[in-house]
Amino acid sequence: MTVNIKQTIGSDSALTPASGEIIYNILQDQIETGKVIDLDFKGIEIITSAFLNAAIGRLYSKYSSDELNALLYIKNISTDDLSILKKVIERAKEYFTDKRSFDERMDQNLE
Amino acid sequence: MKEFFNIPIPHSLKADSDGYAFLSWVAGHTLLIHDSEIIVDFQSCSFIEGNLCAVLGNILESLKNRQNEIKIENVRIQVLRVLARNEFLEGFGYSFYTPKFYSTSIPYKKFNLEDETAAREFFALELFGKPGMPQMSQSARKAILRNIFEICVNAITHAGCDYVYCCGQVFNVKVNPKVSITFVDLGNTIKANVNNYLAENLSGNEAIRWALIDGNTTKAGNEPGGLGLKLLQDLILYNKGKLQIVSGSGFVEISEKNVKFIGQELDFPGTIVTIEIKLGDPNFYILSNEKQNTSNIF
């Protein structure tokens, strides 16, 4: 299926974590059932890292890079926005790697 | 009978140590005042940087919300024009007409970002849509707008406020045209958020220093963050502009050349962010136009 961000959030400006969460919920539902998604940025004028963290960065809490590469495809994204998305992805990977190792250390300490 | 509180605006109110110290004094000393009459006295004031109206306005609006009556008095004509053009006076019942067609102000406004398109259109019009504004590349305009919203979203997310207030002043001069925009919230300070998150007791400056480090975020749960301030610093470096962050006892100023940890004696009960963007270089933010591959991006 194709998820057009502009149509889904009803705005050409993807700014807030709340809007990002709308996209996240749709992506998560589709990924859970193993369906391929085209995430379409057509019509988006401006986007923030806060939106992308909530919509996409958060996916790394549940899914691996391999799972996301197999099921999620980015379409019609501008060069500017792609550079921000790449930074968000890089940061999310680091964040959840650190968080998992932190949580594991905490669990070991509590055992 | 109502009690009075007098706010004597200084001779010159600028976005510097003295200006922020004064605004911190006002915010701190009026925090608990209610049901009183507040006199904002401009008798001594002959210069005000228009963007600082965001801070003064936020303080006065919160006073209004506590049933205080606001009176703006003794405003000199040159200051009156600044305060009328940026629509600050309208918010406090002071009537003065000045033509706005060639206004170089970004009006005093509060945002809650519920209408994202309206927020974007406001800045696109008020910042880039004015007659005679220096033209900038599409990438540069987008980078500036994105960072404006990174600041607004950060303020609302981290400060726990419903609104962020902003006001700006365009200096559309031949040599070094620039715009200064101030954003403010009267919510949780950076110091409080960082110390709460780290369970530490960092100073105001140390807390801002921590928040500026790439990847550091006080967000809890399963949502990464910590990129907004990094992108803002990148923009300032590309543009050779300036970024000031005032929060609690912290005051940090970042420019292309250095980072100054200035600090302040009186706490500001919220966060002020002022950005100064140079408008003279239309292509300061150039990205490769090469078609980038999005497969296996994750």
Side-chain angles (χ1 to χ4, degrees):
Chain A
M1 76 179 284
T2 296
V3 177
N4 178 275
I5 295 175
K6 181 183 175 184
Q7 286 170 5
T8 307
I9 66 172
S11 173
D12 61 7
S13 307
L15 307 179
T16 63
S19 297
E21 196 172 346
I22 295 170
I23 301 297
Y24 171 82
N25 287 333
I26 296 170
L27 299 181
Q28 192 204 15
D29 287 348
Q30 295 298 309
I31 293 168
E32 281 297 310
T33 53
K35 289 177 186 160
V36 171
I37 312 138
D38 285 339
L39 185 61
D40 186 2
F41 285 71
K42 192 172 187 181
I44 287 295
E45 293 287 331
I46 196 118
I47 205 157
T48 64
S49 68
F51 171 89
L52 290 171
N53 273 323
I56 296 175
R58 209 176 138 196
L59 292 169
Y60 285 90
S61 69
K62 299 183 80 170
Y63 308 107
S64 68
S65 290
D66 288 345
E67 288 169 306
L68 294 174
N69 277 323
L71 295 173
L72 186 53
Y73 293 87
I74 302 296
K75 302 287 177 193
N76 298 316
I77 190 168
S78 70
T79 309
D80 310 21
D81 294 342
L82 181 58
S83 80
I84 305 299
L85 175 59
K86 284 182 172 174
K87 285 177 184 163
V88 164
I89 289 170
E90 190 186 326
R91 177 64 28 72
K93 286 180 185 175
E94 287 169 9
Y95 175 80
F96 286 111
T97 305
D98 290 350
K99 190 168 185 294
R100 278 185 203 111
S101 89
F102 176 78
D103 290 345
E104 280 166 15
R105 284 201 308 275
M106 289 300 284
D107 289 345
Q108 282 166 6
N109 288 341
L110 291 171
E111 277 171 8
Chain B
M1 189 172 157
K2 275 190 174 180
E3 290 194 12
F4 288 86
F5 187 86
N6 191 48
I7 300 175
I9 307 295
H11 174 68
S12 173
L13 187 57
K14 295 180 184 170
D16 57 16
S17 284
D18 289 344
Y20 291 130
F22 169 75
L23 292 164
S24 299
W25 175 84
V26 176
H29 279 75
T30 58
L31 210 52
L32 299 176
I33 293 178
H34 57 88
D35 301 293
S36 299
E37 189 169 313
I38 311 293
I39 311 289
V40 188
D41 188 354
F42 282 83
Q43 174 82 51
S44 305
C45 181
S46 61
F47 179 80
I48 181 168
E49 283 185 7
N51 46 300
L52 293 181
C53 286
V55 188
L56 199 54
N58 194 352
I59 295 167
L60 296 181
E61 286 235 2
S62 63
L63 278 163
K64 266 170 76 174
N65 292 340
R66 295 194 298 274
Q67 284 71 50
N68 294 291
E69 188 183 351
I70 310 294
K71 287 188 176 171
I72 294 174
E73 294 185 352
N74 304 319
V75 193
R76 298 186 195 188
I77 188 69
Q78 67 269 34
V79 175
L80 203 51
R81 286 198 187 102
V82 173
L83 303 185
R85 281 195 198 113
N86 68 19
E87 300 175 19
F88 172 80
L89 291 176
E90 289 176 21
F92 301 99
Y94 192 112
S95 178
F96 179 79
Y97 174 76
T98 189
K100 289 178 188 161
F101 183 68
Y102 283 110
S103 170
T104 50
S105 299
I106 296 171
Y108 165 70
K109 193 168 176 68
K110 63 178 181 181
F111 285 99
N112 65 3
L113 294 181
E114 274 178 10
D115 187 346
E116 301 183 26
T117 301
R120 181 184 64 79
E121 284 175 353
F122 170 81
F123 280 106
L125 177 71
E126 298 294 348
L127 180 52
F128 298 113
K130 292 188 187 319
M133 276 291 286
Q135 293 302 302
M136 304 200 92
S137 70
Q138 189 64 17
S139 287
R141 288 165 64 134
K142 268 185 80 170
I144 292 171
L145 283 177
R146 183 191 310 114
N147 279 284
I148 283 174
F149 291 117
E150 297 281 0
I151 296 169
C152 293
V153 172
N154 253 328
I156 289 170
T157 307
H158 293 294
C161 287
D162 293 333
Y163 292 96
V164 57
Y165 290 71
C166 88
C167 194
Q169 184 70 47
V170 179
F171 300 90
N172 195 4
V173 290
K174 278 189 180 167
V175 180
N176 294 329
K178 63 179 185 177
V179 58
S180 292
I181 313 175
T182 294
F183 303 86
V184 60
D185 66 73
L186 293 179
N188 303 328
T189 61
I190 294 174
K191 179 180 168 181
N193 279 338
V194 170
N195 282 330
N196 187 37
Y197 179 79
L198 297 176
E200 294 271 0
N201 190 22
L202 303 182
S203 70
N205 277 351
E206 288 168 339
I208 296 173
R209 183 203 296 267
W210 183 89
L212 286 167
I213 294 171
D214 193 6
N216 281 353
T217 178
T218 58
K219 266 189 206 163
N222 270 338
E223 197 174 311
L227 194 53
L229 278 175
K230 169 72 172 73
L231 295 173
L232 184 57
Q233 288 179 84
D234 288 348
L235 174 82
I236 295 302
L237 293 178
Y238 288 137
N239 179 260
K240 301 181 174 55
K242 195 160 77 178
L243 166 66
Q244 296 174 323
I245 302 175
V246 176
S247 188
S249 59
F251 174 19
V252 176
E253 187 172 277
I254 299 169
S255 64
E256 181 205 14
K257 290 178 187 149
N258 56 23
V259 180
K260 289 183 198 164
F261 291 91
I262 300 163
Q264 48 177 23
E265 279 183 27
L266 294 174
D267 277 22
F268 182 78
T271 300
I272 304 168
V273 175
T274 296
I275 54 173
E276 183 184 295
I277 304 285
K278 298 274 196 309
L279 298 172
D281 176 3
N283 296 309
F284 76 89
Y285 195 84
I286 294 176
L287 290 166
S288 163
N289 284 325
E290 201 177 309
K291 187 80 178 165
Q292 294 196 49
N293 191 358
T294 57
S295 60
N296 286 319
I297 190 176
F298 299 104

